[in-house]
Amino acid sequence: MDSILVRGNGPLNGDIEIAGAKNACLALMPATLLSDEPLTLTNAPRLSDIKTMTALLASLGAEVSALQDGKVQAMSCHGEINPIADYDIVRKMRASNLVLGPLLARLGHAVVSLPGGCAIGARPMDLHTTALEALGAEIELKDGYLHAKVAGGRLKGAVHKMRFPSVGATENFLMAASLAKGTSVLENAAREPEIVDLADCLNKMGAQIEGAGTSRIEIQGVDRLHGATHPVVTDRIELGTFMLAPAICGGEVTCLGGKLSLVESFVEKLEAAGISVTETERGLTVKRNGDRVKAVDVVTEPFPGFPTDLQAQMMALLCTAEGTSVLEETIFENRFMHAPELIRMGAQIEVHGGHATVHGVDKLKGAPVMATDLRASVSLILAGLAAEGETVVSRVYHLDRGYEFIEQKLSGIGAHIERIKG
Ligand code: EPU
């Protein structure tokens, strides 16, 4: 298995390109199941999770081609559709559950495996199933699979309020309600930029969705959707991750294509820590002067709050801040798996339930480390850039799920990072 070697670094300088969003692309690709005409996504990220979604859609009968080196995903679902999403693919990636809404809307029935366990939390599916049941679906769990069907074959518009603004359940609801008969309203909807991107794409396909980006989304169901071409929104988590590289090492880096509106709550915390962020037409420029970073407290929340997907990376910065920071994780129940690894590098962190207290130390020291999820892995790379000596991060397959060409991108701004083939 490959690993990544990182050497403690001086300041980083230059430009770094930010890719299209993994989590937007993973929701946009299943939208191809809603139409028999082609859907083309440009600005797609080159990631193993996208390949997994490709394999899943292909197993359902879609044709998916990666063009221009994978930056364009051209999809078409004009033939016969297989309604069964198999455990062998679904277990690899939770976002596979995003085919449930589209299959149900297009075919009137679907059989989708439950994804099973996940390193960061239990991640149940109840919000997805109750949202689809509100639209008239009958869903039963049999042999590890959700068996869903709609009497009469077509979903019916309905008003539904979610008990929590789940990103995935909002996406499944939007796709299903787009082809339902009549008007649907989703209250307490997730407001993430990936939801807005999905609604924009569905509207290009002929859907009638209003209010995406707010807590109340209204959808007028239509009889059919047509083809479209859509650019995937910028990846705000890759953006935030790379913004932290100069924040940790010093220097000045412009994240090309970055927008403040995607990362406002995160930027507030960076600025409170003493890092300067400027928005220009080219992107977001991050600069750290020679002073030590200041401690800040962080609470993860649904968008527009501080993203859980940047909590691990922010912790890497705060390990060497002046003073004590408290990070509270409210979205997932087990998302501090990076803390024991950072402690191996000399960090002083205490974890109690959903809180991590980080006492800033002068310097971290390189060590062999590993992580059990994507964001935790990249936080160890960031920590390694700030540490004395060498850090080897193993289980690199997690990184390849969410960061394209990470060694090339970071070495392009002066980081000492290389992949060791295993
Ligand atoms: N939840 C339920 N029931 C459900 C669905 C969710 O209780 O039916 C709970 C989850 O267990 C969790 C919380 O609600 O505690 C939030 O889950 P949500 O459904 O919002 O998350 P998701 O759609 O499964 C997406 C991203 C995650 C990101 C979360 C939160 C994709 C493909 N994944 O997951 O991304 O952390 O939203 O913002 O969009 C990552 O990229 O590293 C990643 C984990």
Side-chain angles (χ1 to χ4, degrees), residues 24-233:
C25 199
L26 289 174
L28 290 161
M29 290 176 76
T32 194
L33 296 167
L34 294 166
S35 171
D36 57 6
E37 292 182 18
L39 173 64
T40 302
L41 300 174
T42 59
N43 196 36
R46 277 76 58 88
L47 301 169
S48 63
D49 270 8
I50 301 300
K51 290 193 180 137
T52 306
M53 183 55 85
T54 300
L56 174 61
L57 292 174
S59 77
L60 301 176
E63 284 172 17
V64 186
S65 324
L67 310 174
Q68 294 181 24
D69 253 357
K71 281 202 102 164
V72 173
Q73 294 290 336
M75 296 168 291
S76 177
C77 203
H78 53 269
E80 201 173 314
I81 300 175
N82 163 28
I84 304 172
D86 202 84
Y87 177 58
D88 272 351
I89 303 184
V90 176
R91 70 185 165 80
K92 291 189 189 151
M93 185 182 71
R94 239 200 108 73
S96 304
N97 61 26
L98 296 173
V99 301
L100 179 60
L103 283 175
L104 202 49
R106 176 98 177 261
L107 300 177
H109 59 278
V111 179
V112 175
S113 170
L114 272 185
C118 171
I120 60 179
R123 306 182 81 180
M125 283 283 289
D126 57 314
L127 294 169
H128 297 248
T129 52
T130 48
L132 296 171
E133 280 163 355
L135 296 173
E138 288 163 31
I139 305 181
E140 266 193 283
L141 178 65
K142 269 192 272 179
D143 307 324
Y145 282 75
L146 293 172
H147 290 248
K149 60 180 193 310
V150 192
R154 186 168 180 193
L155 295 164
K156 276 201 197 69
V159 177
H160 177 66
K161 183 170 184 176
M162 287 198 294
R163 70 169 159 78
F164 177 86
S166 155
V167 174
T170 301
E171 292 165 343
N172 256 328
F173 189 91
L174 284 192
M175 290 191 273
S178 290
L179 285 181
K181 190 172 170 44
T183 304
S184 300
V185 175
L186 185 61
E187 289 170 359
N188 200 23
R191 291 184 278 165
E192 271 69 3
E194 293 76 24
I195 305 286
V196 177
D197 203 38
L198 175 63
D200 284 350
C201 177
L202 292 170
N203 283 342
K204 281 183 199 159
M205 295 170 74
Q208 293 186 20
I209 303 173
E210 273 178 27
T214 74
S215 302
R216 185 181 186 280
I217 307 181
E218 190 168 322
I219 306 124
Q220 307 282 347
V222 295
D223 290 341
R224 68 182 295 276
L225 293 176
H226 50 74
T229 297
H230 178 80
V232 179
V233 68

Side-chain angles (χ1 to χ4, degrees), residues 269-276 287-289 292-294:
K269 295 294 175 187
L270 272 190
E271 288 177 340
I275 308 296
S276 108
K287 192 173 166 187
R288 173 172 167 189
N289 59 23
R292 195 163 164 199
V293 164
K294 293 188 225 33

Side-chain angles (χ1 to χ4, degrees), residues 208-265:
Q208 293 186 20
I209 303 173
E210 273 178 27
T214 74
S215 302
R216 185 181 186 280
I217 307 181
E218 190 168 322
I219 306 124
Q220 307 282 347
V222 295
D223 290 341
R224 68 182 295 276
L225 293 176
H226 50 74
T229 297
H230 178 80
V232 179
V233 68
T234 301
D235 196 318
R236 65 196 164 94
I237 307 302
E238 192 198 33
L239 172 63
T241 303
F242 289 146
M243 288 171 75
L244 280 164
I248 287 178
C249 294
E252 181 172 335
V253 170
T254 298
C255 295
L256 300 174
K259 289 197 174 64
L260 207 48
S261 58
L262 294 172
V263 282
E264 254 171 319
S265 55

